[in-house]
């Protein structure tokens, strides 16, 4: 597993998400209400819509297009029309820096 | 054994079939649809990516199989005998039911002018294919009707480099469902993109390669599309003696005048809390009514109470409207870097919101606005107008109060 530096923790608002592009792929990185960070594939599994534009409430991200929703800790699809789970990737904060293992 | 029959395999009927299983219904479920394909989504038809029509299936045949849903496609329900609880199909079969769901949707309104048969409809996958393959060999298109579908189509066809004219009988486009401020914004965007508008104009005749307007103007058109709205598909219900009006009339539980027959989606006019019946024509409504109707058919007693919501994509802009904004509501605008958000207050209470912005940039704010509407908040208009005030914080305060 190799870690890549994505951003600073302060770049993400609490209960918020940002987009992270790396190696030709796109991801969403979330900062939970627990102040931990999480990383999932960036695009909704229903249509290719970026989840970083979605509303984050508790541990749920809602797709900005049709309100499908996912638990971003596990990637589980929890509301239709999204029915396929999202891929998740390890994420951590080291000295205020967010790192993800997306390779 | 219990049997439920669903007539109409569009967004609503198909969603209901699955929702019945989610609600624990264990009897047979038969979904009858007159279109030949697997159930598919309509919104992508007028928002084709790369200009080509895509068939976006609502589910796979495996998913229908797994849910134990029998899908009869390419067959229409031609008669309904509510007394005997049976539906007759176009292939001669009869299906008996204990409960029936009518999810027959809507069909395009037809033009009445001379040459009307030359105009193409835009409702089904086959319609979309006919229009988009027809324009591949033409230079000019006239769209009759400046509603949401006509305007979405105008944007797509401009993207393909065609000369596009929009002919609208009202003085302004998008007058029906879109708040006037946003309708005006979209109108000017279309003008900037080179769409020619003929407003306040009736069509007197459609000829080969031209549309003749009431004032004598002739509009060049190799292809003519009619997008003048839809009519609820109520024929089956009407012939069976169910109560109908601007749609199949239901009570708040989506039950028709026959207690064993429910209805959901574009074909329904649902009873309102304050009296009267309202019909909605949107994707989310079709799904939400399907879910409520399915739960009620499986034994629940749940009124339909979702906040109306729809979206529309035109060029790089996304319009969203939640609730039913009215001209007499107090409108509070919030300007944001990528667009505008409008809040509508009725006597101080937040009842509706709308937004127009680039891509999905305002989706989060609209979602929070919907939650604020559901929470019946009475916000300070100055706070709503201030882009520095986080709507999530407002919602949390409202919930804590
Ligand atoms: C081009 C287009 C773009 C749209 N874009 C948007 C959008 O951006 N946002 C939005 O919110 N909404 C949009 N909508 C609206 C949305 O698609 C509809 O509200 C939704 O499809 C309604 O679902 P429904 O199941 O009630 O009806 P329908 O989708 O019309 O399905 C009804 C089905 O029943 C079948 N049927 C009817 N009678 C019978 C019978 N007797 N026997 C058997 N089958 C029968 C019909 O053939 C049809 O397949 C769009 C609609 C169109 C046409
Ligand atoms: S694109 Fe995410 S729910 Fe449809």
């Amino acid at each position: 597993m190799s870690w890549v530096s994505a951003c600073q923790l302060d770049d993400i608002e609490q209960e918020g998400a940002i987009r992270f592009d790396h190696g030709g792929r796109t991801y969403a990185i979330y900062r939970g209400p627990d102040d931990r960070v999480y990383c999932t594939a960036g695009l909704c599994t229903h249509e290719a819509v970026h989840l970083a534009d979605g509303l984050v409430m508790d541990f749920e991200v809602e797709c900005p297009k049709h309100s499908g929703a996912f638990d971003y800790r596990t990637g589980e699809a929890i509301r239709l029309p999204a029915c396929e789970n999202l891929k998740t990737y390890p994420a951590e904060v080291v000295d205020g820096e967010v790192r993800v293992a997306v390779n | 054994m219990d049997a439920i029959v669903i007539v109409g395999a569009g967004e609503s009927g198909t969603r209901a079939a699955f929702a019945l299983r989610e609600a624990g219904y264990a009897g047979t479920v038969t979904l009858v649809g007159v279109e030949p394909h697997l159930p598919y989504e309509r919104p992508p038809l007028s928002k084709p990516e790369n200009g080509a029509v895509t068939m976006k299936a609502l589910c796979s045949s495996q998913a229908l199989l797994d849910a134990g849903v029998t899908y009869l496609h390419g067959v229409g329900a031609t008669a309904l005998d509510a007394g005997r609880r049976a539906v007759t199909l176009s292939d001669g079969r009869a299906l008996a039911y204990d409960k029936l769901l009518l999810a027959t949707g809507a069909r395009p309104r037809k033009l009445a002018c001379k040459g009307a048969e030359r105009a193409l409809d835009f409702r089904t996958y086959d319609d979309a294919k006919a229009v988009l393959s027809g324009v591949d060999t033409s230079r000019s298109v006239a769209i009759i009707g400046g509603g949401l579908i006509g305007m979405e189509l105008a944007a797509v066809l401009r993207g393909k480099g065609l000369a596009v004219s929009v002919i609208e009988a009202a003085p302004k486009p998008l007058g029906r469902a879109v708040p006037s401020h946003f309708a005006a914004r979209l109108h000017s965007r279309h003008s900037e993109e080179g769409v020619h508008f003929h407003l306040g104009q009736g069509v007197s005749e459609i000829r080969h390669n031209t549309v003749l307007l009431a004032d004598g103007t002739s509009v060049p058109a190799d292809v003519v599309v009619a997008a003048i709205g839809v009519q609820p598909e109520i024929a089956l219900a009407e012939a069976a003696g169910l109560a109908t009006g601007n749609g199949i009339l239901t009570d708040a539980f989506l039950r028709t005048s026959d207690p064993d027959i429910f209805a959901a989606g574009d074909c329904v006019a649902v009873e309102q809390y304050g009296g009267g019946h309202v019909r909605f024509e949107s994707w989310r409504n079709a799904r939400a009514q399907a879910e409520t109707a399915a739960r009620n058919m499986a034994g629940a007693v749940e009124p339909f109470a979702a906040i109306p919501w729809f979206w529309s994509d035109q060029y790089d802009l996304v319009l969203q409207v939640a609730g039913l904004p009215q001209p007499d509501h107090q409108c509070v605008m919030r300007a944001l870097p990528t667009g505008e958000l409008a809040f509508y207050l009725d006597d101080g209470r937040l009842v509706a919101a709308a937004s127009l912005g680039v891509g999905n940039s305002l989706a989060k704010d609209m979602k929070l606005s919907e939650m604020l509407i559901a929470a019946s908040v009475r916000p300070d208009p100055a706070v709503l107008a201030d882009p520095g005030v986080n709507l999530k914080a407002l919602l949390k305060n409202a919930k804590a109060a």
Side-chain angles (χ1 to χ4, degrees):
Chain A
M1 192 155 67
S2 73
W3 293 90
V4 232
S5 164
C7 60
Q8 296 296 309
L9 180 63
D10 290 345
D11 294 338
I12 321 176
E13 61 179 272
Q14 203 179 33
E15 278 192 285
I18 61 158
R19 173 183 180 140
F20 173 59
D21 293 333
H22 179 75
R25 291 172 175 245
T26 189
Y27 305 89
I29 301 175
Y30 311 82
R31 176 172 172 180
D34 56 358
D35 245 348
R36 295 168 95 155
V37 291
Y38 302 88
C39 178
T40 70
L43 303 180
C44 181
T45 56
H46 179 232
E47 280 174 26
V49 166
H50 213 291
L51 292 169
D53 290 325
L55 178 65
V56 177
M57 290 280 246
D58 297 325
F59 293 104
E60 194 181 307
V61 60
E62 190 186 78
C63 173
K65 199 81 221 185
H66 312 115
S67 309
F70 302 90
D71 183 328
Y72 56 79
R73 294 171 297 186
T74 59
E76 190 193 349
I78 50 180
R79 191 158 63 244
L80 290 169
C83 48
E84 219 178 291
N85 294 345
L86 278 176
K87 248 188 149 81
T88 57
Y89 302 88
E92 60 176 24
V93 182
V94 179
D95 295 335
E97 181 187 76
V98 177
R99 308 191 315 167
V100 291
V102 294
N103 291 320
Chain B
M1 180 119 155
D2 274 355
I4 286 180
V5 172
I6 300 171
V7 178
E11 192 73 53
S12 206
T14 308
R15 180 70 200 105
F18 288 97
L20 280 168
R21 296 302 186 213
E22 288 156 24
Y25 178 75
T28 65
V29 176
T30 309
L31 178 63
V32 181
V34 75
E35 292 189 66
H37 326 277
L38 267 179
Y40 62 91
E41 298 199 26
R42 292 187 202 285
L45 298 178
S46 51
K47 309 164 186 67
E49 276 168 41
N50 318 316
V53 198
T54 44
M55 160 77 78
K56 189 153 191 301
L58 275 165
C59 59
S60 62
S61 24
Q62 190 61 44
L64 287 162
L65 214 59
D66 292 347
V69 174
T70 306
Y71 174 41
L72 306 179
H73 51 96
V75 279
T78 50
L80 163 59
D81 186 336
R84 283 183 37 240
R85 288 198 267 184
V87 179
T88 309
L89 304 185
S90 53
D91 61 7
R93 262 181 294 183
L95 291 177
Y97 64 81
D98 297 295
K99 288 201 166 60
L100 177 72
L101 179 70
L102 295 173
T104 47
R107 64 169 133 174
R109 224 179 265 285
K110 293 283 179 197
L111 287 162
C113 65
K114 206 168 151 199
E117 69 288 347
R118 290 185 197 270
L120 302 172
D121 288 332
F122 205 91
R123 176 79 187 174
T124 64
Y125 173 72
D126 294 345
D127 293 344
K129 229 172 44 176
V131 169
L132 290 173
S133 63
V135 299
D136 276 344
T137 53
S138 41
R139 279 157 303 148
S140 58
V141 179
I143 297 167
I144 304 175
L148 287 166
I149 289 177
M151 297 288 264
E152 286 192 352
L153 205 52
V156 169
L157 297 177
R158 280 304 295 148
K160 285 174 153 272
L162 283 109
V164 177
S165 305
V166 170
I167 300 161
E168 166 61 51
K172 290 174 188 167
L174 295 170
R176 208 163 54 100
V178 181
S180 57
H181 177 81
F182 294 110
R185 286 275 149 128
L186 285 165
H187 181 187
S188 55
R189 175 62 185 272
H190 279 275
S191 298
E192 282 162 28
E193 297 280 348
V195 174
H196 301 285
F197 284 92
H198 300 274
L199 302 172
Q201 283 287 336
V203 172
S204 64
E205 188 181 345
I206 301 172
R207 293 185 185 158
H208 180 62
N209 292 342
T210 15
V211 177
L212 202 62
L213 304 184
D215 69 354
T217 312
S218 75
V219 179
D222 301 330
V223 173
V224 180
V225 181
I228 55 170
V230 295
Q231 273 174 324
E233 185 61 73
I234 59 173
L236 204 60
E238 222 171 12
L242 301 182
T244 58
N246 174 32
I248 302 169
L249 301 187
T250 72
D251 61 14
F253 305 96
L254 298 167
R255 251 181 334 218
T256 67
S257 53
D258 179 318
D260 294 324
I261 304 178
F262 289 72
D266 278 15
C267 63
V268 170
V270 57
E271 189 180 353
Q272 298 301 292
Y273 180 65
H277 290 79
V278 176
R279 195 168 70 78
F280 302 104
E281 292 167 6
S282 74
W283 176 87
R284 196 202 275 176
N285 176 69
R287 297 177 65 89
Q289 286 192 342
E291 287 164 6
T292 301
R295 285 194 290 269
N296 288 345
M297 291 173 88
V301 186
E302 198 185 292
F304 176 71
I307 296 166
W309 174 87
F310 70 86
W311 90 98
S312 174
D313 298 342
Q314 297 173 35
Y315 306 103
D316 60 342
L317 298 177
V318 177
L319 168 77
Q320 292 194 59
V321 181
L324 301 172
Q326 302 297 329
D328 62 343
H329 289 156
Q330 180 189 358
C331 173
V332 180
M333 299 295 300
R334 174 183 281 218
L336 293 158
T338 58
E340 287 175 304
L341 193 59
F343 300 96
Y344 301 89
L345 306 178
D346 184 5
D347 228 356
R349 195 166 65 88
L350 182 67
V351 291
S355 69
L356 182 67
V358 175
N360 292 321
S361 55
L362 300 184
K364 250 183 285 196
D365 284 333
M366 270 305 283
K367 185 65 207 186
L368 288 162
S369 304
E370 258 187 73
M371 295 164 101
L372 286 164
I373 295 169
S376 284
V377 293
R378 301 180 153 277
D380 175 355
V383 166
L384 287 181
D386 180 359
V389 176
N390 186 323
L391 295 178
K392 199 189 268 182
L394 212 59
L395 183 68
K396 288 196 168 159
N397 290 345
K399 287 198 168 152

